[in-house]
Amino acid sequence: MYKPIKACLFDLDGVLVDTAKYHFIAWKRLAESLGIEFTEHDNEQLKGVSRVESLEYILRKGKVQLSQAEKIDLMDTKNTWYLELVATMHPDDLLPNVWKFLSELKSNGVKIGLGSSSKNAQIILDKTNITPFFDTVVDGRHVTFSKPHPEVFVKGAAQLNVQPHETIVFEDAASGIEAALAGGFYTIGLGDANILRAAHLVIPSLQHLNYTQLLTLPFLENSNSKA
Ligand code: B16
Ligand code: MG
């Protein structure tokens, strides 16, 4: 017997679209303007992390101390550069199989929610034409605590009127998996199994999953559940 899944909550950056590459370009430009080196490794640490905490990470790395007003200016600058890149996005920028997988969930009555740290999430959903798939969107504008706090997913489940143990969270960031586990959700990590090893299952991307497989995932067997 497999536990039925009533809802799926998706992280955005790195799960549905590859905006991490845009965050990287914009943060690197900002860090270098302050004389601070910014690497791919640094970018990995910032996945799922809020804008303000991302800036704090960079300033800590460069041992730079700034006033609150200066920090706000820098975040605005980074976001302007980031949005210039996002403005070029279109439906082809969805990661492979995303459209098909969301369509399958929708036609089988599985509720769909977004649980993203990004305050730009709605713009990206609109640019890629997937807003109509979502029964709820919870993002950086709606939460007090960022991942690894479970708030974004707990709010999403509440808005969908489902329980965490009826819901799978899809995440590409260690902080996101931690957040979902803290909220009592099933978790599928998308990406590197070393980084996401706490998840119930890790697969390379949504390209490797369809609705039929979702019904018989090993961790949904009643006897073998962490959630
Ligand atoms: P913004 P997710 C996160 O989105 C990104 O992974 C993270 O790198 C970014 O700093 C954060 O959103 C805030 O984004 O500056 O657009 O508000 O992965 O939780 O969908
Ligand atoms: Mg992400």
Side-chain angles (χ1 to χ4, degrees), residues 11-13 23 27 46-51 54 78-79 82 115-120 147 172:
D11 172 53
L12 179 63
D13 292 343
H23 283 296
W27 279 130
L46 302 187
K47 285 185 180 172
V49 173
S50 71
R51 198 179 307 168
S54 301
K78 182 268 175 179
N79 200 47
Y82 176 69
S116 167
S117 301
S118 176
K119 293 182 172 166
N120 298 305
K147 301 168 188 174
D172 72 314

